[in-house]
Amino acid sequence: MDVRGMGVPYNAARAFIDERINEGLAQKVAIYYQGEQVTYRELQDRVNQFGNALKHIGVGIESRILIMCLDSPAFIVSFFGSVKIGAVPIPVNTMMQPSDYEYYLNNSRAKVLIAHQELWDKIKHLRHRFLYVKHVIVISEDERPSENVISYNQLLEAASRELEPVHTTYDDSAFWLFSSGSTGNPKGVIHLQHDMEFALTHYAKNVLKMNEHDLTFSASKLFFAYGLGNAMYFPLGLGASTILMPERARPENVFEMIETYRPTVFFGVPTLYGAMIDYVQQTGRTFDLSSIRICVSAGEALPSPYILKWKDMYQLDILDGIGSTEALHIFLSNRIGDVREGSSGKIVPGYETKIVDELGQPLPANEIGDLMIKGDSIAQGYWNLHEECKQKFRGEWLATGDKYYMDHEGYYWYCGRSDDMLKVGGIWVSPTEIENCLLEHEAVLEVAVIGESNEHDLVQPKAYVVLKKGLMPTGEMEAELKDFVKKQLAPYKYPRSVEFIEELPKTPTGKIQRFKLRVG
């Protein structure tokens, strides 16, 4: 039965936590974390305790809870404990500056902040500037709470393990996520109670073929839309298990986690796959990835050389896909046994797409335009951003801000962000195409291509290149890279200049921030 708009009770904490107990999975391990194993029963108990603790300190329905937590059981407990009482959890990036957290707290008007001790220590000097915060809950090994904060562990210990979900419905607000803010301030993206179940059903089940026997490991963190599904509501919604790693993902610790815990599904981002490939090539070490049945990539387009090198090294496909914070998870994806290197794959069942021109008119196959999507995991809108909402959310459709074309076989090909596309000699040029070509050169580790105006104010491609370790930037290398592109792509696409740099500017998700290269 379709319960949308009917006022029928629906609470995501019941759907993703309580139902596992009803299915007889109480003793199954839900979370593996630093040697700790948390069963579904233990997870439900902690979720209920946290929800009751929030009620005890005066938190009610629709109150906002800012979650500033490392990947850990406490993150998941805080998230679903908040949802269960009708409060609205807001996970935020744990790698930001103190002023960013001041923005998150004041923009969201959160009444409660929950943070790991080391993160709270970075911002506690600003507490007098947090306009709406009434309670700070700190997760710490030290049982003695600091002044004016509440101990997470003591809060749970004092609370009951029995808690019924509050009456929320299918279309109630459930949680927020902040967009990455690659241009301008992050936007509060409001997601509803049913959004996670839609993404789980249509992508995790139908595309990844995930089930209760899977063990997931996501290098992308829980506070990202991508990581939230990978490491939390996908495995929990299926009665599977998840591996959590609080540290920042680096090739060496990611390989170590894979060999230690033996996941079946691994989620990464393009820059990490590139770094892992380079790490193996530089160190000569070998790693056992035989437990993994499928690898997934999102965040930005995965260069085809990475797919081919990974396949050669580990005999594993990487399923590249595209999603967004607004759509919650992936809506275009390659398939198991159907990988088209360099493409974002085909539409995920349950979603619809169209590629349109500047006037909003649909374009035929093989013509580049703006990608629009429709699906029931798309957010309600942005918090307090009326004009941005009108631009992004157009009736049932979401304007992704991505340039794409679809070929005659239904595969989608990424051509860059709408403001990244280059018009060279009156012809649209995709920076991604040039980047993928340069990545095939054995000397190139990472690359970003932007448009640069020449002395006649005409736009020409410029490449920023990070060379592999031990290689020196020279004029000869620059000429070699230009010639390499000329031989593989149409001549007008080659970069007229190449600048060698030590590191590309990126968001914490690993997306390259080309706008910083344009202004820098």
Side-chain angles (χ1 to χ4, degrees), residues 51-68:
N52 282 318
L54 288 178
K55 291 170 66 175
H56 180 72
I57 60 175
V59 176
I61 194 166
E62 296 184 4
S63 296
R64 297 174 201 129
I65 316 293
L66 203 83
I67 299 179
M68 188 180 168

Side-chain angles (χ1 to χ4, degrees), residues 29 32 78 92 94 98 113 126 147 186 244 262 290 314-315 358 452 460 483:
V29 175
Y32 292 89
S78 304
V92 293
T94 58
L113 167 65
L126 295 178
E147 186 177 359
L244 300 182
R262 312 291 292 160
S290 60
Y314 296 112
Q315 293 73 56
E358 292 86 348
E452 183 178 63
Q460 296 178 327
D483 192 54

Side-chain angles (χ1 to χ4, degrees), residues 186-448:
K187 304 175 183 69
V189 180
I190 303 169
H191 277 286
L192 306 181
Q193 291 282 342
H194 69 268
D195 290 359
M196 292 186 289
E197 187 164 322
F198 187 89
L200 166 73
T201 299
H202 293 281
Y203 177 68
K205 288 183 180 179
N206 290 345
V207 174
L208 300 185
K209 308 299 182 185
M210 284 181 59
N211 59 50
E212 69 276 13
H213 302 298
D214 276 312
L215 174 59
T216 68
F217 174 43
S218 175
S220 184
K221 297 302 180 184
L222 284 165
F223 54 76
F224 298 126
Y226 178 50
L228 192 72
N230 305 342
M232 189 183 77
Y233 66 85
F234 284 176
L236 297 184
L238 293 166
S241 305
T242 184
I243 302 159
L244 300 182
M245 181 180 74
E247 298 85 11
R248 192 167 185 171
R250 302 182 305 277
E252 54 269 37
N253 63 12
V254 169
F255 278 126
E256 180 183 356
M257 292 291 287
I258 292 172
E259 290 195 319
T260 299
Y261 287 99
R262 312 291 292 160
T264 60
V265 185
F266 173 65
F267 299 90
V269 296
T271 50
L272 178 63
Y273 282 110
M276 291 171 75
I277 290 167
D278 186 59
Y279 182 77
V280 171
Q281 292 175 335
Q282 293 292 333
T283 64
R285 296 180 60 186
T286 58
F287 298 95
D288 181 5
L289 274 60
S290 60
S291 66
I292 298 174
R293 66 175 182 83
I294 201 68
C295 299
V296 180
S297 181
E300 61 181 339
L302 181 68
S304 55
Y306 292 176
I307 300 174
L308 297 171
K309 289 176 183 177
W310 191 261
K311 179 80 169 182
D312 181 61
M313 291 167 64
Y314 296 112
Q315 293 73 56
L316 284 169
D317 284 325
I318 304 176
L319 302 189
D320 189 24
I322 180 176
S324 70
T325 305
E326 292 84 356
L328 188 58
H329 214 275
I330 291 173
F331 50 81
L332 292 177
S333 180
N334 283 271
R335 303 292 201 275
I336 297 170
D338 182 15
V339 173
R340 189 66 57 94
E341 293 88 355
S343 93
S344 298
K346 297 180 177 179
I347 187 72
V348 171
Y351 294 89
E352 296 179 43
T353 64
K354 60 182 178 180
I355 294 173
V356 300
D357 62 16
E358 292 86 348
L359 300 176
Q361 297 301 308
L363 291 168
N366 294 315
E367 288 201 26
I368 297 173
D370 297 305
L371 179 68
M372 308 279 289
I373 68 157
K374 180 168 70 172
D376 217 18
S377 67
I378 292 174
Q380 181 184 59
Y382 296 130
W383 165 249
N384 257 2
L385 292 170
H386 178 62
E387 290 301 321
E388 285 85 346
C389 278
K390 289 193 294 184
Q391 292 298 316
K392 194 80 171 183
F393 301 92
R394 305 177 189 176
E396 294 182 285
W397 293 93
L398 172 72
T400 65
D402 293 308
K403 290 283 188 182
Y404 263 87
Y405 71 88
M406 184 188 73
D407 66 22
H408 287 294
E409 297 180 85
Y411 294 93
Y412 287 76
W413 299 84
Y414 178 70
C415 299
R417 293 291 294 172
S418 297
D419 56 0
D420 287 336
M421 289 292 289
L422 315 177
K423 209 159 196 178
V424 181
I427 305 172
W428 283 115
V429 175
S430 165
T432 306
E433 183 182 16
I434 304 171
E435 290 164 0
N436 285 344
C437 179
L438 283 166
L439 282 167
E440 293 178 7
H441 193 283
E442 60 184 9
V444 177
L445 176 62
E446 293 183 330
V447 60

Side-chain angles (χ1 to χ4, degrees), residues 165-178:
V166 73
H167 179 99
T168 52
T169 66
Y170 191 86
D171 288 334
D172 271 316
S173 297
F175 61 98
W176 293 12
L177 296 169
F178 272 99

